[in-house]
Amino acid sequence: LAIFHLAHGGFAHAVEPLESYHRLHPENAQGCLFLGQAYAGTGRREDAREVLNRGVQLAQAAGNSRTASFCRDLLRDLGGNTD
């Protein structure tokens, strides 16, 4: 349901379920990406940067270059660190 909300611009509705998922699966890079998108869409830029940076680290460690790239793109849009 959270992904549906993200896809349709309902960022505020996506935050709570994605935060719950992230608490249960903190090592999931895609979860970081989706939560970062929701945070960015609701104006929570610092929270978005934090979780997206973590998503980059997790994705790189797992060899998931696509998710790492998506996280970096969002960070760039937010003016955040993309290292």
Side-chain angles (χ1 to χ4, degrees):
L1 186 58
I3 304 306
F4 172 84
H5 288 301
L6 280 179
H8 292 90
F11 301 108
H13 295 292
V15 169
E16 187 177 331
L18 288 170
E19 285 178 333
S20 294
Y21 181 84
H22 186 64
R23 278 191 296 278
L24 293 171
H25 306 281
E27 302 300 312
N28 185 291
Q30 273 193 312
C32 291
L33 170 62
F34 295 144
L35 182 55
Q37 288 175 313
Y39 282 158
T42 56
R44 294 175 60 179
R45 296 171 66 85
E46 289 303 316
D47 291 329
R49 285 184 191 102
E50 182 179 324
V51 76
L52 289 167
N53 276 314
R54 181 69 178 141
V56 169
Q57 294 171 351
L58 291 169
Q60 287 177 330
N64 187 341
S65 60
R66 188 168 185 198
T67 297
S69 178
F70 286 139
C71 288
R72 279 193 211 95
D73 288 346
L74 279 170
L75 282 165
R76 200 171 359 268
D77 291 345
L78 292 167
N81 182 8
T82 60
D83 292 336

